[in-house]
Amino acid sequence: MVYELTHQNQRFLLFPRHRILHAVVEGSIRNVTVISEDMMYTLLNRYEWVLK
């Protein structure tokens, strides 16, 4: 399960199972970050993510 978000012309991919957030820059994945469970739910609730 992957969630995708486009925010301020930047794409993000969120993998909730592993709490991994990817920033996609110019078609390639950059800035791989493992986030806390609280932060993950905050991001999911704050922005309009699309389930892929």
Side-chain angles (χ1 to χ4, degrees):
M1 187 165 54
V2 178
Y3 289 92
E4 183 177 30
L5 169 70
T6 301
H7 180 68
Q8 296 178 349
N9 295 325
Q10 189 168 8
R11 276 180 62 217
F12 296 93
L13 300 175
L14 179 62
F15 296 83
R17 183 180 211 176
H18 305 291
R19 297 195 324 266
I20 295 175
L21 178 67
H22 294 308
V24 181
V25 181
E26 297 173 359
S28 62
I29 292 176
R30 307 267 171 88
N31 302 332
V32 176
T33 308
V34 177
I35 58 176
S36 70
E37 197 165 344
D38 287 344
M39 178 58 112
M40 182 182 71
Y41 287 116
T42 299
L43 288 172
L44 285 172
N45 290 326
R46 187 173 294 168
Y47 299 103
E48 296 292 320
W49 294 84
V50 177
L51 182 60
K52 292 287 183 177

